[in-house]
Amino acid sequence: MSSPSIAVAAPRAQRARPLGLVVLAAALATLAFPPADQGWLAWFALAPLLLALRGPKRLGAALGLGYLFGVLHWGGTIPWIGTTVVDWSGTPLGWAAWVGLTAIEAGWFALAGALTWAIGRRSSGAARALGIAAAWTLTEWLRAQGRLSMPWSLLGYTQYRWLPVIQVADLCGVYGISFLVVLTSAALAEALCPAGPGRRGRLTAPLLAIALIAVSLGYGGWRLARPAVGEPLRVALIQPDIRDRRGAIRDPVTDLALFASLSTRAGRGADLVVWPEGIAPRDVFADPRTRAGFAAIARATGAYQLVGTGTYDTAGRAYNAACLFAPDGAIVGRYAKQWLVPFGEWMPARPLFERFESVFHFGMEDTAHGGRQPPLRAGRARIGVLICFESIFPEMARRYAAEGANLLACITNDSWGGRSAAPAQHMAMTAFRAVETRRWTVVAATTGVTGIVAPSGARREAPPFQVATLAGTAGLLDARTPYVRLGDWLAAACAALATAALLLPRCPAPERPERRRRPEGGNA
């Protein structure tokens, strides 16, 4: 006769197993991103989650497992959201921003979990692995759509250091790398736990993943052996290590003296000097002293100066902008940020949140949207300007390249993230814009990471969290990659693949061998 304690323990163990697998998957996926930066873990990080999603009999349970993974992984990747808001607001209640954003973003992982579960009940082997990779990639693409989107921690970004792997981004964007990473985890899950008996089901998915990775690596090697050169442009990037704090008052005289010194160190001989986002102590367009200071720097260095500044229009609307000075000190270009940070630069449903302004210190007014603008012309260079948050959206860089930009310049102020993983994560994403468009990309950050990114994704960086300058040569390139021409065609292909996988007839449940019943009264 079986013991009641054993009978109770068995269901508990069955429930604990998928939860443990989800926790393991979340830990592996999080460690693949900075600060741990162990990108190799991403290739099999999702396998435990995919195995856990084979257990539930109901959709609700699959949603729950996906949501738990999202909370643990996404929340573990961006804790700097909490420390940033705490530092800005001066109250521990700032962690509510991290909790709320994590709760929202975890919904996308719940969707991916539900699609994975549904596809897994209708296919097996290579078909199941392909369907799962397509569904996950499509979910990542959806996560990057719309003005409220926050496409941080896409799995493809974990591979930013592995140059042979990421070259296919000029064909299909960062989403192509995510597809390969998820496909590998799905293939591993098939090898560990195939849908049915037989060696064939265990091998087809891994063989498919190996073949696609081999093709990608072959393409990557071919691209790296033919580096893009372009007409040389001497660039200098300035990292003044000035951290913005709420209520801090900056002295224009002190700042401009520092900037003149830094430009002398780095800017002589340069064609273009790039300064970080919002570095001007006053509105460059409206404040005579600030404008005169940067005009003098331009004349002294004989170089164009791209300067981040806040500015206002005649109606009093505020903009996060960039100003381009010519070598003679004249202002010859202006760019206003288009993709604004939700809850940072603009408040969705402002009346609902205004009651919390005294706690979180939201801006009293939204930053104005800059609208679509062409590249800025700086002599031979046609610069696609990306201000901070804009560099994490592939479509921004792709559109610039399509409109004739032969250089990308990201100016950013990541000082709000402090000494966290935020600057490194931001640079990892920005590096992909160079590969996708095959454009040299220069990044000037207030406290780092400041760097020059080649079209291959190779980087030269200045040490973060210190005053630094970085000089080098970038090439001006005009060719349009397949990704620039075709856009996110992979998202459409993944939608078709995922839909086809969901429309397959449901697989019959595998037969289980009958268990012999013990005779009544027998020993347990």
Side-chain angles (χ1 to χ4, degrees):
M1 185 174 179
S2 62
S3 168
S5 61
I6 295 176
V8 172
R12 285 179 179 173
Q14 291 173 357
R15 288 193 298 268
R17 181 176 178 272
L19 293 178
L21 289 171
V22 171
V23 171
L24 174 61
L28 294 173
T30 303
L31 290 171
F33 289 90
D37 210 10
Q38 300 300 307
W40 60 276
L41 291 175
W43 292 93
F44 53 87
L46 292 187
L49 173 64
L50 302 181
L51 291 173
L53 286 168
R54 295 190 182 186
K57 292 182 171 58
R58 297 183 181 277
L59 175 62
L63 283 165
L65 291 176
Y67 191 82
L68 175 61
F69 172 84
V71 167
L72 296 175
H73 166 53
W74 207 84
T77 305
I78 52 94
W80 48 263
I81 291 284
T83 56
T84 298
V85 180
V86 166
D87 183 57
W88 182 262
S89 63
T91 170
L93 292 176
W95 282 104
W98 172 72
V99 172
L101 190 56
T102 299
I104 292 170
E105 291 297 322
W108 291 110
F109 296 93
L111 173 62
L115 292 173
T116 295
W117 174 81
I119 289 169
R121 291 161 67 87
R122 288 168 169 78
S123 57
S124 62
R128 174 159 56 185
L130 274 175
I132 289 172
W136 195 281
T137 305
L138 177 61
T139 305
E140 286 199 341
W141 179 81
L142 290 171
R143 190 148 64 92
Q145 307 308 303
R147 292 295 165 183
L148 287 172
S149 57
M150 179 64 169
W152 215 273
S153 304
L154 305 185
L155 280 172
Y157 288 131
T158 61
Q159 304 306 302
Y160 74 104
R161 293 183 181 276
W162 302 87
L163 299 188
V165 173
I166 67 175
Q167 299 310 305
V168 294
D170 71 351
L171 304 177
C172 47
V174 65
Y175 305 109
I177 317 302
S178 292
F179 183 89
L180 284 175
V181 168
V182 180
L183 179 65
T184 304
S185 281
L188 178 59
E190 290 298 322
L192 293 173
C193 186
R199 186 175 180 81
R200 182 180 178 185
R202 187 182 293 270
L203 293 180
T204 53
L207 289 175
L208 173 64
I210 291 170
L212 288 180
I213 292 172
V215 170
S216 298
L217 289 174
Y219 177 79
W222 177 79
R223 287 296 317 186
L224 291 173
R226 292 163 176 78
V229 181
E231 184 181 359
L233 182 82
R234 295 166 300 176
V235 296
L237 314 177
I238 310 294
Q239 180 179 290
D241 197 33
I242 295 175
R243 183 176 179 186
D244 282 347
R245 294 182 179 273
R246 182 174 59 84
I249 299 175
R250 291 171 56 185
D251 177 19
V253 175
T254 303
D255 280 1
L256 291 171
L258 170 65
F259 299 160
S261 173
L262 290 174
S263 66
T264 300
R265 183 194 310 177
R268 293 194 182 279
D271 300 306
L272 173 68
V273 178
V274 184
W275 300 81
E277 172 191 16
I279 197 60
R282 298 287 187 272
D283 182 349
V284 161
F285 299 98
D287 181 67
R289 176 183 290 172
T290 302
R291 185 172 64 252
F294 280 103
I297 290 172
R299 289 190 294 268
T301 58
Y304 285 90
Q305 309 286 318
L306 182 65
V307 181
T309 182
T311 189
Y312 294 85
D313 63 14
T314 54
R317 291 185 294 260
Y319 294 86
N320 187 351
C323 175
L324 182 66
F325 287 85
D328 63 2
I331 293 177
V332 293
R334 166 182 169 149
Y335 171 77
K337 189 175 182 181
Q338 303 172 56
W339 207 306
L340 304 173
V341 180
F343 299 99
E345 293 173 309
W346 70 284
M347 287 294 299
R350 177 174 284 276
L352 180 63
F353 291 98
E354 278 184 339
R355 68 188 69 179
F356 304 108
E357 196 282 329
S358 61
V359 176
F360 296 106
H361 303 287
F362 301 126
M364 297 302 293
E365 295 182 358
D366 292 342
T367 301
H369 184 277
R372 189 161 177 168
Q373 300 149 81
L376 296 182
R377 288 187 172 271
R380 297 166 289 135
R382 298 184 299 277
I383 308 170
V385 180
L386 302 166
I387 299 182
C388 196
F389 192 57
E390 293 180 319
S391 71
I392 75 172
F393 294 95
E395 66 185 76
M396 288 284 298
R398 182 169 60 84
R399 192 179 72 211
Y400 272 134
E403 293 176 350
N406 54 16
L407 177 75
L408 298 178
C410 174
I411 62 174
T412 183
N413 178 10
D414 287 342
S415 69
W416 42 262
R419 291 180 176 270
S420 69
Q425 291 173 358
H426 194 183
M427 173 57 90
M429 293 183 280
T430 304
F432 268 83
R433 307 295 85 86
V435 183
E436 291 163 348
T437 61
R438 296 295 174 192
R439 296 293 188 272
W440 284 84
T441 302
V442 295
V443 182
T446 311
T447 57
V449 177
T450 294
I452 301 173
V453 187
S456 65
R459 306 173 321 284
R460 284 183 55 221
E461 297 175 354
F465 310 117
Q466 64 184 55
V467 177
T469 60
L470 183 65
T473 300
L476 301 178
L477 297 166
D478 294 301
R480 294 195 295 172
T481 65
Y483 183 66
V484 168
R485 294 195 301 268
L486 302 176
D488 290 318
W489 62 268
L490 182 63
C494 285
L497 271 174
T499 300
L502 290 169
L503 292 177
L504 289 171
R506 182 174 170 181
C507 291
E511 294 183 4
R512 297 181 179 179
E514 292 186 7
R515 297 178 63 184
R516 294 177 58 187
R517 294 183 61 188
R518 295 182 181 275
E520 293 185 10
N523 294 327

